[in-house]
Amino acid sequence: MSAEGSVDAPQGTPPDPFALVRNRGYIGLLVMAAVLGVPISAAAYGFLALVNELQPWIYADLPKALGFQATPPWWPLPLLGVAGLLVGATIRYLPGIGGHKPAEGLSTTGAPKSRDLPGIFVAAVATLALGAVLGPEAPLVALGSGTTVWLVRLLKPDLPERAGAVVGAAGSFAAVSTLLGSPITGAFLLMEASGIGGPMLGVVLVPGLLAAGIGSLVFIGLDSWTGLGTYSLAIQDVPHANTPTGAEFGWAIVIGLAAALLGTGIRRLALLLQPRVERRLIPATVLVGLVIAGLAIAYAEGTGKGATEVLYSGQTALGPLLANSADYTVGTLTLLVACKGLAYCASLSAFRGGPIFPAMFLGAAGGIALSHLPGLELTPAVAMGIGGMSVAMLRLPLTSVLLATLLLGWQGITVMPLVIVTVVVTYVVVIRLSPDPTDRFKTGAREDPT
């Protein structure tokens, strides 16, 4: 396959975006995407299962094994100190600086080199398992694309650059779809984050969808095989949502403005801290870890709730938070948003992971707090909070609407108009608050991976 399109095109004629599809080698790309979808999805599932097993073992089981009756209040301090040491050393001494810097957004600018993959894996596991406030989506994108390109180049060393980009995108689709529970959700996230548009969208999207679709059999099942199960975003037993009211549309504007201000503050502070951490990487990353631990301990001691509500990404804590929302006072929720927001900001500046799930958790907690005010029910408040904070941190409006509505199942469809208004308000305000065209959070600043 040619990486340059049609060689017979006259000079000055734009390259044919469908030249890659017409090439017989594109069928080979599709076959490779289908074949690799299963092992990449299985590896992604294994990564997520490893992290999910390590978190409760390290936080709850290990203290008991060491003779404690329960997890001591100070337990987050050694956890986050070790996390900072491991991540700082990985960034300093292993190739690839542990993956992309989360304070600079969700990176989809191409597959990492094979030599970078061990560092990305170690930094991600240390970050996610030991309590830093980041999610698994960014490491999955990097590991999925990098591993896929590495495997294909083992079989075909002369793989053209453009074909390698398509294969890497397919690996990312398969990996992140395992996390999000749906190939369609993964497709929305990656195509919007990468900024791919026009005819080239389909050229890159088709192999990725195929890899994710075939790979989804790993957790959905096939025939009599039930599969491994899925890390679905959907929350069970969501409170009923009534038809949107005029008052709730007014609240959509208010929540959109609040999310824009909060998200912009978190991002700017993280970007301000990041170069200061990098000057003295290992000791500064350890210090950031201890600060995160201190915030979690302060929240737990001040409210009687678990420190884990501040620690970790919040991915598995969203359901219990909504189900037990009646047990949280407005003061407790406000303190949770403050401590989790600061811990999220600190994690963005020093650790390695993705920005999605902490933003969703903050939006949900803020929405629950606001639902105590007149004219705003619980479910639409949570949905609007999730949508607003997601777009504030990701700058991906379509994906943010999709995440907020899918999370709440059928009730999310009812409140979708409110989520859309919130997301639009947040997106416009965030862009207006960040006029610098070099801001890497802007979707237009992302490179086209093709």
Side-chain angles (χ1 to χ4, degrees):
M1 285 179 295
S2 170
E4 302 298 328
S6 175
V7 296
D8 298 324
Q11 188 174 10
T13 302
D16 181 2
F18 295 111
L20 183 63
V21 179
R22 297 191 186 100
N23 194 304
R24 285 181 300 176
Y26 189 73
I27 302 301
L29 275 180
L30 293 177
V31 173
M32 282 191 289
V35 170
L36 291 172
V38 170
I40 294 301
S41 294
Y45 190 94
F47 175 83
L48 294 171
L50 173 65
V51 170
N52 280 1
E53 289 294 325
L54 284 175
Q55 287 177 352
W57 181 82
I58 291 173
Y59 194 84
D61 297 341
L62 182 58
K64 292 180 181 178
L66 293 175
F68 294 101
Q69 294 278 337
T71 303
W74 49 262
W75 190 251
L77 286 170
L79 287 192
L80 272 299
V82 171
L85 180 62
L86 289 175
V87 173
T90 299
I91 295 171
R92 170 66 61 83
Y93 297 113
L94 292 183
I97 64 168
H100 88 284
K101 302 173 184 179
E104 297 176 0
L106 185 62
S107 175
T108 58
T109 55
K113 295 179 173 59
S114 58
R115 67 172 182 269
D116 298 341
L117 297 178
I120 294 173
F121 178 82
V122 171
V125 171
T127 293
L128 301 174
L130 294 173
V133 188
L134 292 170
E137 65 280 359
L140 279 178
V141 169
L143 292 170
S145 61
T147 303
T148 304
V149 172
W150 172 66
L151 290 173
V152 171
R153 290 197 184 278
L154 286 179
L155 302 173
K156 190 176 177 58
D158 60 343
L159 186 73
E161 183 179 349
R162 175 168 289 189
V166 175
V167 169
S172 296
F173 271 67
V176 80
S177 295
T178 306
L179 169 67
L180 300 179
S182 165
I184 300 300
T185 310
F188 263 91
L189 172 64
L190 292 178
M191 74 181 186
E192 194 174 14
S194 63
I196 303 171
M200 188 54 70
L201 172 61
V203 174
V204 178
L205 189 62
V206 168
L209 279 176
L210 182 61
I214 298 297
S216 66
L217 296 175
V218 170
F219 49 91
I220 292 175
L222 180 66
D223 290 334
S224 60
W225 183 53
T226 58
L228 299 175
T230 179
Y231 290 93
S232 174
L233 283 180
I235 293 177
Q236 304 299 319
D237 302 322
V238 176
H240 177 73
N242 295 314
T243 303
T245 65
E248 287 172 339
F249 275 102
W251 275 114
I253 297 173
V254 173
I255 293 174
L257 291 170
L261 295 174
L262 178 59
T264 299
I266 290 173
R267 184 173 60 253
R268 286 188 175 180
L269 182 55
L271 289 170
L272 182 66
L273 291 173
Q274 180 177 279
R276 290 163 172 77
V277 171
E278 291 173 345
R279 287 184 195 136
R280 302 195 63 183
L281 186 60
I282 295 178
T285 307
V286 171
L287 178 60
V288 169
L290 296 177
V291 169
I292 295 169
L295 289 166
I297 293 170
Y299 169 76
E301 293 299 303
T303 64
K305 302 290 185 181
T308 53
E309 293 182 3
V310 171
L311 302 177
Y312 304 116
S313 69
Q315 176 187 352
T316 58
L318 272 170
L321 178 68
L322 183 57
N324 301 310
S325 59
D327 298 334
Y328 290 78
T329 65
V330 174
T332 297
L333 291 166
T334 302
L335 185 61
L336 176 58
V337 170
C339 291
K340 185 91 171 182
L342 289 172
Y344 179 30
C345 175
S347 299
L348 286 168
S349 70
F351 287 87
R352 293 295 186 261
I356 293 179
F357 290 102
M360 295 174 68
F361 185 91
L362 285 174
I368 294 172
L370 290 173
S371 70
H372 290 81
L373 297 173
L376 184 59
E377 294 184 352
L378 177 61
T379 299
V382 169
M384 288 187 285
I386 292 173
M389 281 304 300
S390 296
V391 76
M393 299 306 299
L394 298 177
R395 308 283 181 94
L396 307 176
L398 294 176
T399 300
S400 299
V401 171
L402 189 62
L403 289 172
T405 52
L406 285 182
L407 183 71
L408 302 177
W410 286 108
Q411 306 304 324
I413 303 300
T414 303
V415 300
M416 184 183 290
L418 299 171
V419 174
I420 291 173
V421 173
T422 303
V423 166
V424 170
V425 170
T426 303
Y427 182 74
V428 171
V429 173
V430 163
I431 297 299
R432 293 294 298 270
L433 291 175
S434 305
D436 184 357
T438 63
D439 185 351
R440 291 184 61 180
F441 267 84
K442 288 192 176 181
T443 54
R446 296 185 179 90
E447 296 176 17
D448 186 338
T450 61

